[in-house]
Amino acid sequence: MVYDMILPALPFIGGYLLTYSLYKMKLIKKALHINIWNLIIGLAFLISAGAGFILLLVMELNVKLPISPELLYWHVELGVTLALVTVFHFHTYWKSAKTMFVAAKRRRSQA
Amino acid sequence: MIGKIKSVMSKEKLVPALSIEKVTSTLSREKVISTLSKENLSSALTKIPMKQKLFAAISTIPFIALGSMSASCATTCPYGMVNDPYPGQCPRYVDLNGDGFCDLSQATAAATTDTTTDTTTDSSTSDTTTSTDDATTSTTTDQGHGNGTNADVTPDQSTDTNTTTLPDDPGSDYGSLNGDGTNYFVLPITLIIIGGYLFTYYLFKKGILKRNKHKRIWNLLVTVGYLGTGITGVILTFMVNLGIRTALSQSLTFWHVELAILMVVGTLIHLHIYWRPFKNMFRVLFGFKFNLRKDPSRAKGTSK
């Protein structure tokens, strides 16, 4: 089984560009654009982390579930999606994300 | 003179006497308060919002689940892989027969180790194991869901078809098949992260730590968790896709899991920190209405 890396990512890249351009053209509100992607990142996290947690439990308990390969597959695919949507999340909150790294330097320079 | 001394002495005696009285009076007050509080305890408990009770109950579930974990005796691949080659997809890789494939991914591997010696000495074989037909043997080896490009479905070369056993027999002697263990430190790391969060939250509530600093610490940790999990995950996926097999894959898997724990717990903390925007998400998208009367100015949906 070869994991698809690009195909599952394409609709999300297209979707983000679409909602972002709609927001930039003021056809939708910023809140809607942001919250759509917050929901998507939440769902991707839930499925990917949930599948990962079940796989971890399965491994710790040394049990074989009939759905283990499917779980692993979807864990990987949704993980790829999660990684991608996390980048979008950073893009959305870039201003506050920057302060996470820059604030200390600013303080030093002010002092 | 003597009278003065007497008066002084009496004062000295009186002072501790008074202080003792005060102490006893305060103790009795405390007792009364405590008894009153005990009486009102049940009523106070009922005043706790249902949401908080529910949250507390739900938060204990992962700990109960992890606490109750113990190794069982199943001897099949937890990922359901077939003929997983060296060094294996997971840290449970075991190759007792030295054929270059994980024994757990081979349906008949466990039996092979036990019965190969028997086949050389005794042709009747399987005195300690339950033998199966040739047909069933071939189906068990070819069964399952392959994973990765290297998961070739090839018939087991080392096994004698007459000397196979059922793989999930917990009574068989499997040596160290389950002994390698995967110590992912799920519970300790979770507890350390939660402890750290409670500590910084306490400092923040006491005013020792600024709100922004508290947020920044946990945002950084979540970022580290996401970056680490994402990078190791993507590398592992590429390795599986390209068929790259190195000894690094096990340590990569280990760090993938460890950082994923940080990511998951960190995300839950992130949700706690940004609870209000999280609730607003449902309001904006689905029109759910929450009680936002406390600070309506923050209910715009995108605050950070």
Side-chain angles (χ1 to χ4, degrees), chain B:
Chain B
M1 188 71 182
I2 294 165
K4 280 182 180 177
I5 292 165
K6 276 184 180 176
S7 67
V8 168
M9 288 286 283
S10 62
K11 275 179 186 175
E12 280 178 0
K13 281 177 184 175
L14 273 171
V15 171
L18 279 167
S19 63
I20 288 162
E21 279 176 12
K22 276 182 183 176
V23 168
T24 50
S25 66
T26 52
L27 278 172
S28 61
R29 275 178 194 170
E30 282 175 4
K31 278 181 183 175
V32 170
I33 290 162
S34 67
T35 48
L36 281 169
S37 64
K38 278 174 188 173
E39 284 170 4
N40 294 326
L41 194 64
S42 58
S43 62
L45 279 169
T46 53
K47 284 176 185 174
I48 295 171
M50 190 64 191
K51 199 168 63 180
Q52 281 186 14
K53 282 183 188 175
L54 197 69
F55 182 73
I58 289 167
S59 63
T60 58
I61 291 169
F63 297 108
I64 293 165
L66 288 167
S68 63
M69 279 197 324
S70 62
S72 66
C73 296
T75 56
T76 52
C77 175
Y79 288 155
M81 287 180 288
V82 180
N83 293 338
D84 186 24
Y86 175 83
Q89 285 257 322
C90 76
R92 285 204 185 280
Y93 181 87
V94 172
D95 186 17
L96 291 175
N97 55 9
D99 63 349
F101 294 102
C102 178
D103 293 345
L104 297 176
S105 68
Q106 293 175 309
T108 57
T112 314
T113 54
D114 290 335
T115 53
T116 44
T117 51
D118 293 338
T119 50
T120 53
T121 54
D122 186 14
S123 59
S124 61
T125 68
S126 68
D127 50 349
T128 57
T129 57
T130 52
S131 63
T132 54
D133 294 332
D134 292 353
T136 53
T137 310
S138 62
T139 50
T140 49
T141 42
D142 291 339
Q143 230 175 21
H145 312 271
N147 184 46
T149 50
N150 294 320
D152 307 323
V153 184
T154 53
D156 196 354
Q157 294 157 0
S158 61
T159 51
D160 188 350
T161 50
N162 292 324
T163 61
T164 54
T165 61
L166 292 172
D168 288 332
D169 183 14
S172 304
D173 180 24
Y174 294 130
S176 63
L177 276 179
N178 299 317
D180 55 342
T182 49
N183 270 334
Y184 282 129
F185 311 116
V186 178
L187 199 57
I189 290 174
T190 309
L191 288 175
I192 287 167
I193 296 166
I194 291 170
Y197 179 67
L198 290 174
F199 180 66
T200 55
Y201 189 74
Y202 173 78
L203 292 178
F204 151 62
K205 280 285 173 188
K206 287 284 174 187
I208 300 165
L209 198 69
K210 282 180 183 175
R211 188 187 182 90
N212 283 339
K213 208 161 199 174
H214 169 67
K215 277 185 179 181
R216 196 180 300 141
I217 288 167
W218 289 101
N219 283 346
L220 266 172
L221 282 171
V222 175
T223 308
V224 169
Y226 268 82
L227 274 177
T229 313
I231 290 166
T232 52
V234 168
I235 292 170
L236 281 168
T237 312
F238 272 119
M239 283 169 80
V240 171
N241 279 356
L242 300 173
I244 301 164
R245 296 276 173 173
T246 62
L248 270 176
S249 64
Q250 285 186 13
S251 55
L252 266 175
T253 311
F254 175 80
W255 284 108
H256 180 71
V257 174
E258 298 300 322
L259 289 164
I261 298 163
L262 174 64
M263 184 189 81
V264 170
V265 181
T267 304
L268 297 176
I269 288 167
H270 192 75
L271 286 180
H272 182 247
I273 291 172
Y274 296 105
W275 185 244
R276 205 173 286 271
F278 178 68
K279 281 198 297 185
N280 287 335
M281 182 179 79
F282 295 99
R283 187 182 61 83
V284 171
L285 291 176
F286 308 111
F288 292 161
K289 284 179 183 174
F290 298 97
N291 188 13
L292 296 166
R293 278 176 291 176
K294 284 178 185 175
D295 190 2
S297 63
R298 297 179 69 181
K300 288 181 180 176
T302 59
S303 67
K304 253 199 182 181

Side-chain angles (χ1 to χ4, degrees), chain A residues 3 57 59-62 64, chain B residues 69 72 74 92 178 182 241:
Chain A
Y3 299 108
L57 279 181
M59 195 187 280
E60 288 289 321
L61 296 170
N62 242 349
K64 185 193 173 186
Chain B
M69 279 197 324
S72 66
R92 285 204 185 280
N178 299 317
T182 49
N241 279 356

